[in-house]
Amino acid sequence: MLNVGVIGTGMIGQDHIRRMTTVLSGVRVTAVTDVNPAAAASVGPRIGATVHASGASLTADPEVDAVVVCSWGPTHEEYVLGAIAAGKPVFCEKPLATTQEAGLRIVEAEVAYGSRLVQVGYMRRFDFAYRRLKMALDSGDIGIPLMMHCAHRNAAVPPFYEREMAITDTAVHEIDMVRWMFGTEIEAVRVLVPRRNSNGGELQDPLFILLEMANGVLVDVETSVNIRYGYDIRGEIVGENGTAALGSLSPVQIRRGGQLATPVPADWRERFLQAYDVEFQEWIHAITGGGHPLGPSAWDGYAAAVVSDAGVAALRSGDRVPVTMATRPKLYDEVPS
Amino acid sequence: MLNVGVIGTGMIGQDHIRRMTTVLSGVRVTAVTDVNPAAAASVGPRIGATVHASGASLTADPEVDAVVVCSWGPTHEEYVLGAIAAGKPVFCEKPLATTQEAGLRIVEAEVAYGSRLVQVGYMRRFDFAYRRLKMALDSGDIGIPLMMHCAHRNAAVPPFYEREMAITDTAVHEIDMVRWMFGTEIEAVRVLVPRRNSNGGELQDPLFILLEMANGVLVDVETSVNIRYGYDIRGEIVGENGTAALGSLSPVQIRRGGQLATPVPADWRERFLQAYDVEFQEWIHAITGGGHPLGPSAWDGYAAAVVSDAGVAALRSGDRVPVTMATRPKLYDEVPS
Amino acid sequence: MLNVGVIGTGMIGQDHIRRMTTVLSGVRVTAVTDVNPAAAASVGPRIGATVHASGASLTADPEVDAVVVCSWGPTHEEYVLGAIAAGKPVFCEKPLATTQEAGLRIVEAEVAYGSRLVQVGYMRRFDFAYRRLKMALDSGDIGIPLMMHCAHRNAAVPPFYEREMAITDTAVHEIDMVRWMFGTEIEAVRVLVPRRNSNGGELQDPLFILLEMANGVLVDVETSVNIRYGYDIRGEIVGENGTAALGSLSPVQIRRGGQLATPVPADWRERFLQAYDVEFQEWIHAITGGGHPLGPSAWDGYAAAVVSDAGVAALRSGDRVPVTMATRPKLYDEVPS
Amino acid sequence: MLNVGVIGTGMIGQDHIRRMTTVLSGVRVTAVTDVNPAAAASVGPRIGATVHASGASLTADPEVDAVVVCSWGPTHEEYVLGAIAAGKPVFCEKPLATTQEAGLRIVEAEVAYGSRLVQVGYMRRFDFAYRRLKMALDSGDIGIPLMMHCAHRNAAVPPFYEREMAITDTAVHEIDMVRWMFGTEIEAVRVLVPRRNSNGGELQDPLFILLEMANGVLVDVETSVNIRYGYDIRGEIVGENGTAALGSLSPVQIRRGGQLATPVPADWRERFLQAYDVEFQEWIHAITGGGHPLGPSAWDGYAAAVVSDAGVAALRSGDRVPVTMATRPKLYDEVPS
């Protein structure tokens, strides 16, 4: 039974608490904290968790074996570094850090510690369909990969959503996914700006993002964040001899009113609910099994930040922007399966 | 250039005239007639065809190489026998005859004539999808066939449609199709009566028809003739090692309003338009090429009538009704490909 | 935390132990027993569970809050009655009992007890796709249901599989599912025997089973248990205005070698893995939440046995066999959602 | 009956002769010629067509109402100008001309003549699926278009295929199609070079072509010309509220060996056979109906040449290349439906 402390009891934090309390095996939430003490206080007693006044206090709690960070992005660095300092495994919701410099400091702290403690919450690596896609690729059936076409579509985004967020918050999932899918880094980014969707008012949406990978694979990502019809994640890998694509997950097919229709997920919760469960369950099993987390590492979090920065620069300049990364420490040599 | 005379210039007759006049190659309509002289008179001059006062006169016209019969069902026997007597190829819209006795008389007349002159208008044998289905079956890929599941759905039928027509007018297409698909006869028929669809008022609809074939294949056919959503023809053959089914012909896929949808055809014209064209074009080429028609024969028309009669008896009695057929003359030994 | 005792540590029992130990939340396995003491002894210590010499002893253990019965079918009655006598919730793998008389005895014991303790392991009611199908039906979008077409296909069955098992072991899942789907009982059964699949030697396979429901819905079920290509569960409900069908769960689509292909599940574990998880998780939450199990009841288990018996009689006689059931006690009036 | 003269009796020419002789209505081939007199001589007598020594002679033949040009690309300009000079309708296989200058000369000649005589052989505008796609777009159901994702995949290309041909011979179909689909011109072209497919040896394949349209729509086109698995044409339009895509034309679905598969067309003949038929039939009807051809015009042929040139420049330079076109004469104002 893994004792987990949760920093940040907002929407995401509460969802992970629900997950660890009522869905997953081998875990309990023993401690919570939040920048808003009342928020933590309303959650803790209900699940029998100690309410801490700070992340530092929570991390130091001997009843906390591992830490889950769901707080506001800019605070992630502090809490993750704190967990590393305490030698405790830490699951950090994306982003690992809001700047690549902060990400690199976390990487360096973990390297100094000497083994992997950090996992970043990119859930796609745990999605059934993406895993089958990677299996298809790795089987060699379609040959060496040459391109990948992706689309990331949201029905709607809130008013505070800004154009850069299509890269840093939306396409960042694709950025992590393709690094994992192809086992190599992204070397350059371009961002093209198609005709604007008036559903988003003045928001520059959609974007068309081009990622050049170190092995020559060219990835294109459409982000459409106000497309109304639903939440739709698409991906097709073009290989030398064929292609492999995410299928359409259609549990039912309705024939009615002149058409054959299958429902599209309404939002990311519906599409990736199971992936979040798997992500946490595997993380719990890895830690209680005595190993280290096998999911996205601190290096992956850092790399996502670097590529995102390049993407934002590419969006602003209109140019092709090369990605410049630190040298990857040996600690991260193990390729996640 | 084949000179064709058309008997019956109603809706179907005019559609075939349009087909032979503006779509197909190697044919012209040189003569027309109709039980309603004004109907024929309004069509003939426009296309440069002689207007005849009777089917007999049209058949005798030396400018008529082949006859197309699109008149009222009960008159088919007379016109087809007339064409056989004149030694002219005749394309007869379904049904070949309205009783099995009449069908047998046509068969006997053709056998006496000594070679095949008659083709019956069952268009599914010419449909691209059914042909691919038969190719898949004949390839052996799914093994020996054991069952076939069919559905025949219409959006709506007119008020004069009676329950027996679900067999004689609707499922008769499946009756002909499975005889062709499996190359064997139907030996017995059962008809089950599910809950009634109130869209059709008192009409007993849907029906569930079970056909036992001579080789042991069991075919089930759902007929739903007031199902509103469109015209939908389904078929799946179950073999020893797999299945082969009609696919969904979806030229477009629309993602909108929470669903991924493809259009369903509105009616049989839309679904089988191309099959009708191919049916006639192959008939024309067969005749002008000096051979005989390769489509559904007089025997096929007779067999459809016999099985339909058994189906009607099964519907009325609720029993399994064996099919009793005459012995097939050698003239019909050639298996259509 | 629910303490569960497991009777029967064979393949299914061990799988449920794995599920309760490493997958689900709020449960632990505290006791095990098996007709083969060595089998139980090899499992118990590993998971910290007491090994009992008998089901009776396990049921009486104060460290057992609820019982899971995974033993050989003929022993189910004894263990379930024992749990009822002890007033403990019991999850019984299908079948509830091997005769309808035994099933009725369980129903009567539960009625005498006065509240529901028994859940039977029909997992389809917990399958994501079937639930979406029922939602589509209940939404009214396709109108009142009239028919349902089902297919239940296995790649292969072991040599001891006999023709009656296509009803009692295979189609029994459809029997339970349609009772739940349409909220009504099955009134009569017919079984038709198509051409035999030689993959199964002398086994009479496939079968075509026709179920008449009390509301007039006609259900047909193809069972093909040696069809080689995979495990495939199909279902399409025909309503007055449209149809609703199980979709194809294709996580990936591969274009290669002249075709576009999606994988078919290899077996029932792959297809229904998640349904088993949901089934147990909801059972655990229902009990620990203080309510009674909401899944298939003792009555459902009894009804499945009665219909199966009718099916076997129909297979042997070739006749339509009416289903004769006891009157349903009020205890089972609550319609499961 | 339209009398057609065919210039060029190579593979394409013979296919169109077959089409006009045995498939289509209202047309006959009365004259043929070829740069290789023996080729023309072997075709003409068989179909009752006069064999001419030159295109000029054929065009001047009073038995020729309209000209079909299927000769080697560099000769197209001469024959098309000749037909315009003779005031005869001319169907010119793509490309209209091998340079944009030649294309512009044809446009100017046609404008000087005063009405439209020229149709260029871009068949996609006549394809059933593309037409349904355009109908879906024009219906407004997905809102204003913002992007279009295309893929053009060939199983293999011959050894003489050079990288520029991916633009001038392959993607030129998409270039014409998107101009028609969106009713606007292409303003700039970029070409990205993904990892090379070793199936093509040193050939730079695939390419990823980006087309910026005057209305802001961004089009991306993957060309993969040695992808082995088949001929696959894909297209998805992204609108403000949804998307519309070419469906998968799967006449059959085979379940076998662990997968559900539908066949992919082997080559462009299989995919677009029907579109070629429709293209010619509509051309014939337009001319014999007294109107002018409604298909791709001389202007469309010129525009395709200009955009192709920009594409080749973009491929060679790696830069974004603006498209510079002449001003469109009023003759071409009519928007094709």
Side-chain angles (χ1 to χ4, degrees):
Chain A
M1 188 65 62
L2 184 72
N3 293 334
V4 166
V6 176
I7 299 176
T9 59
M11 190 181 66
I12 299 267
Q14 290 195 38
D15 192 52
H16 289 333
I17 289 169
R18 174 196 62 77
R19 181 165 283 116
M20 289 187 281
T21 306
T22 68
V23 179
L24 303 179
S25 175
V27 64
R28 67 184 157 208
V29 177
T30 51
V32 296
T33 189
D34 195 90
V35 64
N36 173 3
S42 78
V43 169
R46 182 162 48 78
I47 58 167
T50 307
V51 178
H52 284 269
S54 71
S57 160
L58 177 142
T59 301
D61 186 340
E63 288 297 302
V64 168
D65 301 328
V67 178
V68 170
V69 178
C70 305
S71 54
W72 190 44
T75 67
H76 287 188
E77 179 186 8
E78 173 190 348
Y79 297 133
V80 171
L81 289 175
I84 293 172
K88 295 188 177 180
V90 54
F91 181 105
C92 181
E93 259 308 318
K94 67 135 187 152
L96 174 61
T98 47
T99 67
Q100 55 177 285
E101 292 75 18
L104 192 55
R105 283 192 292 270
I106 291 170
V107 163
E108 287 166 350
E110 192 176 49
V111 168
Y113 178 79
S115 73
R116 285 169 56 176
L117 291 171
V118 180
Q119 178 166 326
V120 187
Y122 290 112
M123 74 290 187
R124 292 203 186 172
R125 302 186 184 203
F126 304 89
D127 175 64
F128 180 65
Y130 272 111
R131 285 185 162 184
R132 291 293 289 259
L133 184 61
K134 185 158 169 47
M135 281 171 57
L137 174 63
D138 293 347
S139 75
D141 277 354
I142 63 165
I144 292 170
L146 309 174
M147 310 185 69
M148 183 169 187
H149 307 304
C150 304
H152 187 138
R153 299 176 186 152
N154 294 71
V157 289
F160 61 76
Y161 191 98
E162 295 178 348
R163 64 174 186 159
E164 286 81 2
M165 294 172 71
I167 297 162
T168 58
D169 282 53
T170 300
V172 72
H173 285 288
E174 272 78 13
I175 288 169
D176 181 69
M177 181 272 294
V178 298
R179 294 182 58 257
W180 163 74
M181 183 67 71
F182 299 111
T184 190
E185 296 293 354
I186 296 165
E187 290 193 331
V189 188
R190 273 190 186 85
V191 180
L192 277 73
V193 178
R195 190 179 193 175
R196 197 175 70 239
N197 188 334
S198 64
N199 289 335
E202 294 304 307
L203 177 67
Q204 189 47 262
D205 164 64
L207 296 182
F208 197 58
I209 303 164
L210 297 159
L211 307 172
E212 299 176 24
M213 309 216 59
N215 61 0
V217 169
L218 177 65
V219 176
D220 55 278
V221 182
E222 170 208 326
T223 58
S224 287
V225 300
N226 276 307
I227 202 168
R228 298 291 184 257
Y229 77 87
Y231 182 74
D232 204 4
I233 299 299
R234 313 275 296 281
E236 180 180 32
I237 301 171
V238 180
E240 293 196 307
N241 302 317
T243 77
L246 297 175
S248 59
L249 299 164
S250 59
V252 287
Q253 294 188 311
I254 312 294
R255 286 170 172 84
R256 181 167 176 273
Q259 61 185 23
L260 165 59
T262 61
V264 171
D267 57 27
W268 55 268
R269 285 173 198 83
E270 182 179 345
R271 173 64 182 82
F272 287 114
L273 180 69
Q274 199 183 354
Y276 281 108
D277 291 349
V278 173
E279 175 188 52
F280 266 87
Q281 190 69 73
E282 296 192 1
W283 179 69
I284 293 161
H285 286 172
I287 295 171
T288 55
H292 65 71
L294 297 167
S297 68
W299 178 259
D300 294 319
Y302 162 72
V306 177
V307 177
S308 291
D309 284 357
V312 169
L315 170 60
R316 291 177 180 163
S317 69
D319 295 332
R320 175 183 181 277
V321 174
V323 172
T324 308
M325 256 183 228
T327 302
R328 190 176 68 183
K330 285 197 175 174
L331 183 62
Y332 305 102
D333 277 359
E334 183 186 348
V335 175
S337 63
Chain B
M1 188 64 62
L2 184 72
N3 294 333
V4 165
V6 176
I7 300 176
T9 59
M11 191 181 68
I12 300 268
Q14 290 193 38
D15 192 51
H16 289 333
I17 289 168
R18 174 196 62 78
R19 182 166 283 116
M20 289 186 281
T21 307
T22 67
V23 179
L24 304 180
S25 175
V27 64
R28 67 184 156 204
V29 177
T30 52
V32 294
T33 189
D34 195 273
V35 64
N36 173 2
S42 79
V43 169
R46 182 163 46 79
I47 59 168
T50 306
V51 178
H52 284 269
S54 70
S57 159
L58 177 143
T59 302
D61 186 338
E63 287 298 301
V64 169
D65 300 329
V67 177
V68 169
V69 178
C70 305
S71 53
W72 190 42
T75 66
H76 287 187
E77 179 186 9
E78 173 190 346
Y79 297 133
V80 172
L81 288 176
I84 293 172
K88 294 189 177 179
V90 54
F91 182 104
C92 181
E93 258 308 318
K94 68 136 186 150
L96 174 61
T98 48
T99 67
Q100 53 176 285
E101 292 74 19
L104 191 56
R105 283 192 291 269
I106 291 171
V107 163
E108 288 166 350
E110 192 175 49
V111 169
Y113 178 79
S115 73
R116 284 169 58 177
L117 292 170
V118 180
Q119 178 165 328
V120 187
Y122 290 112
M123 74 289 188
R124 293 203 187 171
R125 302 185 184 203
F126 304 90
D127 175 64
F128 181 64
Y130 273 110
R131 286 185 161 183
R132 291 295 288 260
L133 184 62
K134 186 157 168 47
M135 282 172 56
L137 173 63
D138 293 347
S139 76
D141 277 355
I142 63 166
I144 291 171
L146 308 174
M147 308 185 69
M148 182 169 188
H149 306 305
C150 304
H152 187 137
R153 298 176 186 150
N154 294 73
V157 288
F160 61 77
Y161 190 98
E162 295 179 349
R163 64 174 186 160
E164 286 80 1
M165 295 172 69
I167 297 163
T168 58
D169 281 54
T170 300
V172 71
H173 284 288
E174 272 78 13
I175 288 170
D176 181 69
M177 181 273 293
V178 296
R179 293 181 59 256
W180 163 73
M181 183 67 71
F182 299 112
T184 190
E185 296 293 351
I186 294 165
E187 289 193 331
V189 188
R190 272 190 187 87
V191 180
L192 278 71
V193 177
R195 191 179 193 175
R196 197 176 68 239
N197 188 333
S198 65
N199 289 336
E202 295 304 307
L203 177 68
Q204 189 47 263
D205 164 65
L207 296 182
F208 196 57
I209 302 164
L210 296 160
L211 307 173
E212 300 176 23
M213 309 214 60
N215 62 359
V217 168
L218 179 65
V219 175
D220 55 278
V221 182
E222 170 209 326
T223 58
S224 287
V225 299
N226 275 307
I227 201 167
R228 297 293 184 256
Y229 77 87
Y231 183 74
D232 203 5
I233 298 299
R234 314 274 296 280
E236 180 180 33
I237 300 171
V238 180
E240 292 197 306
N241 302 319
T243 77
L246 297 175
S248 59
L249 299 164
S250 59
V252 286
Q253 295 188 311
I254 311 295
R255 286 170 171 84
R256 180 167 177 273
Q259 61 187 21
L260 166 58
T262 61
V264 171
D267 57 28
W268 54 269
R269 285 172 199 83
E270 181 178 345
R271 173 64 183 81
F272 287 114
L273 181 68
Q274 200 183 353
Y276 281 107
D277 291 349
V278 173
E279 176 188 52
F280 266 87
Q281 190 69 75
E282 295 192 1
W283 180 71
I284 293 160
H285 285 172
I287 295 170
T288 54
H292 64 72
L294 298 166
S297 68
W299 178 259
D300 294 319
Y302 162 72
V306 176
V307 176
S308 291
D309 283 357
V312 169
L315 170 59
R316 291 178 179 162
S317 69
D319 296 331
R320 174 183 182 276
V321 174
V323 172
T324 308
M325 256 183 227
T327 303
R328 191 176 67 183
K330 286 196 173 175
L331 183 62
Y332 304 103
D333 277 359
E334 184 186 345
V335 176
S337 64
Chain C
M1 188 65 63
L2 185 71
N3 293 334
V4 166
V6 175
I7 301 176
T9 59
M11 191 180 67
I12 299 268
Q14 290 194 40
D15 192 50
H16 289 334
I17 288 169
R18 173 196 63 76
R19 181 166 282 115
M20 290 186 281
T21 307
T22 67
V23 179
L24 303 179
S25 173
V27 64
R28 66 185 157 206
V29 177
T30 52
V32 295
T33 189
D34 196 273
V35 65
N36 173 4
S42 78
V43 169
R46 183 161 48 76
I47 58 168
T50 307
V51 177
H52 284 269
S54 70
S57 159
L58 176 143
T59 302
D61 187 338
E63 288 297 302
V64 168
D65 301 328
V67 178
V68 169
V69 178
C70 305
S71 54
W72 190 45
T75 67
H76 287 188
E77 180 186 7
E78 173 190 348
Y79 297 133
V80 172
L81 288 175
I84 294 171
K88 294 188 176 179
V90 54
F91 182 104
C92 180
E93 258 308 317
K94 68 132 189 157
L96 174 62
T98 48
T99 66
Q100 53 176 286
E101 291 75 19
L104 191 56
R105 285 191 292 269
I106 292 170
V107 164
E108 288 165 351
E110 192 175 47
V111 169
Y113 178 79
S115 73
R116 284 170 57 176
L117 292 170
V118 180
Q119 179 164 326
V120 187
Y122 290 113
M123 74 290 188
R124 291 201 187 173
R125 302 186 184 202
F126 304 90
D127 175 64
F128 180 65
Y130 272 111
R131 286 184 162 186
R132 292 293 290 258
L133 184 60
K134 186 159 169 45
M135 282 171 57
L137 173 63
D138 293 347
S139 75
D141 277 355
I142 63 165
I144 291 171
L146 308 175
M147 310 186 68
M148 183 169 186
H149 307 303
C150 304
H152 187 137
R153 298 177 185 149
N154 294 72
V157 289
F160 62 77
Y161 191 97
E162 295 179 350
R163 65 174 185 158
E164 286 81 2
M165 296 172 69
I167 297 162
T168 58
D169 281 54
T170 300
V172 72
H173 284 289
E174 272 78 13
I175 288 170
D176 182 68
M177 180 273 291
V178 296
R179 292 181 61 255
W180 162 75
M181 183 67 71
F182 299 111
T184 190
E185 297 292 352
I186 294 165
E187 290 194 330
V189 188
R190 273 191 186 85
V191 180
L192 277 71
V193 177
R195 191 179 193 175
R196 197 175 69 238
N197 187 334
S198 65
N199 289 336
E202 295 304 307
L203 177 67
Q204 189 47 262
D205 164 65
L207 296 182
F208 195 58
I209 303 164
L210 297 159
L211 307 172
E212 300 176 23
M213 309 214 62
N215 61 359
V217 169
L218 178 66
V219 176
D220 55 279
V221 182
E222 170 208 325
T223 59
S224 287
V225 299
N226 276 306
I227 201 167
R228 298 292 183 259
Y229 78 86
Y231 182 74
D232 203 3
I233 299 299
R234 315 274 294 282
E236 180 180 33
I237 300 171
V238 180
E240 293 196 306
N241 302 320
T243 78
L246 297 174
S248 59
L249 299 164
S250 59
V252 286
Q253 294 188 312
I254 312 295
R255 286 170 172 84
R256 180 167 176 272
Q259 61 186 22
L260 166 58
T262 61
V264 171
D267 56 29
W268 54 269
R269 284 174 198 81
E270 182 178 345
R271 173 64 183 81
F272 287 114
L273 181 67
Q274 201 184 351
Y276 281 107
D277 291 350
V278 173
E279 176 188 52
F280 266 86
Q281 190 68 73
E282 295 192 2
W283 180 71
I284 293 160
H285 285 173
I287 295 171
T288 55
H292 64 72
L294 297 166
S297 69
W299 177 259
D300 294 320
Y302 161 72
V306 176
V307 176
S308 291
D309 284 357
V312 169
L315 171 59
R316 290 178 180 162
S317 69
D319 296 332
R320 174 182 182 276
V321 174
V323 173
T324 308
M325 257 184 226
T327 302
R328 191 177 68 183
K330 286 195 174 175
L331 184 61
Y332 305 104
D333 277 0
E334 185 187 345
V335 175
S337 63
Chain D
M1 188 67 61
L2 184 71
N3 293 333
V4 166
V6 176
I7 299 176
T9 60
M11 191 181 67
I12 300 267
Q14 291 194 39
D15 192 50
H16 288 335
I17 288 170
R18 173 195 64 75
R19 181 165 283 115
M20 289 186 281
T21 306
T22 67
V23 178
L24 303 180
S25 175
V27 64
R28 65 184 158 207
V29 177
T30 52
V32 296
T33 189
D34 196 272
V35 63
N36 172 2
S42 79
V43 169
R46 183 161 47 77
I47 57 167
T50 306
V51 178
H52 283 269
S54 71
S57 159
L58 177 142
T59 301
D61 186 339
E63 287 297 302
V64 168
D65 301 328
V67 178
V68 169
V69 178
C70 305
S71 55
W72 190 43
T75 67
H76 287 187
E77 179 186 8
E78 173 190 347
Y79 297 133
V80 172
L81 289 175
I84 293 171
K88 294 189 177 180
V90 55
F91 182 104
C92 181
E93 259 308 318
K94 67 132 187 157
L96 174 62
T98 48
T99 67
Q100 51 178 286
E101 292 74 19
L104 192 55
R105 284 192 291 269
I106 291 170
V107 163
E108 288 165 349
E110 193 176 46
V111 168
Y113 177 78
S115 73
R116 284 169 58 177
L117 291 170
V118 180
Q119 178 165 326
V120 187
Y122 290 112
M123 74 291 188
R124 291 200 186 176
R125 302 185 183 203
F126 304 90
D127 175 65
F128 180 66
Y130 273 110
R131 286 185 161 184
R132 291 293 289 258
L133 185 61
K134 186 159 170 44
M135 281 171 57
L137 173 63
D138 293 346
S139 75
D141 277 355
I142 64 166
I144 292 170
L146 307 175
M147 309 186 69
M148 184 169 185
H149 307 305
C150 305
H152 188 138
R153 299 176 184 150
N154 294 71
V157 289
F160 61 76
Y161 191 99
E162 294 179 349
R163 64 174 185 158
E164 286 81 1
M165 295 172 70
I167 297 162
T168 58
D169 282 53
T170 299
V172 72
H173 285 288
E174 272 78 13
I175 289 170
D176 181 69
M177 181 272 296
V178 297
R179 293 181 59 257
W180 163 74
M181 182 68 71
F182 299 112
T184 191
E185 296 294 352
I186 295 165
E187 291 193 332
V189 188
R190 275 189 184 85
V191 180
L192 277 72
V193 177
R195 190 179 193 176
R196 197 176 69 240
N197 187 333
S198 66
N199 289 335
E202 295 304 308
L203 177 66
Q204 190 46 333
D205 163 65
L207 297 181
F208 196 58
I209 303 164
L210 296 159
L211 307 172
E212 300 176 23
M213 309 213 61
N215 62 359
V217 169
L218 178 65
V219 175
D220 56 277
V221 182
E222 169 207 327
T223 58
S224 287
V225 299
N226 276 306
I227 202 169
R228 298 292 183 257
Y229 77 87
Y231 182 74
D232 204 3
I233 299 299
R234 314 274 297 279
E236 180 179 32
I237 300 171
V238 180
E240 293 196 308
N241 301 318
T243 77
L246 296 174
S248 60
L249 299 164
S250 60
V252 286
Q253 293 189 312
I254 312 294
R255 287 171 170 84
R256 180 167 177 274
Q259 61 186 23
L260 166 58
T262 61
V264 171
D267 57 28
W268 54 269
R269 285 173 199 82
E270 182 179 345
R271 174 64 183 82
F272 287 114
L273 180 68
Q274 200 183 352
Y276 282 108
D277 292 348
V278 173
E279 175 187 54
F280 267 86
Q281 189 70 73
E282 296 192 1
W283 180 70
I284 293 161
H285 286 172
I287 295 171
T288 54
H292 64 71
L294 297 166
S297 69
W299 178 258
D300 294 319
Y302 162 72
V306 177
V307 177
S308 290
D309 283 357
V312 169
L315 170 60
R316 290 178 180 162
S317 69
D319 296 332
R320 175 183 181 278
V321 175
V323 172
T324 308
M325 256 183 230
T327 302
R328 191 177 66 183
K330 287 196 174 174
L331 182 62
Y332 305 102
D333 277 358
E334 184 187 346
V335 175
S337 63

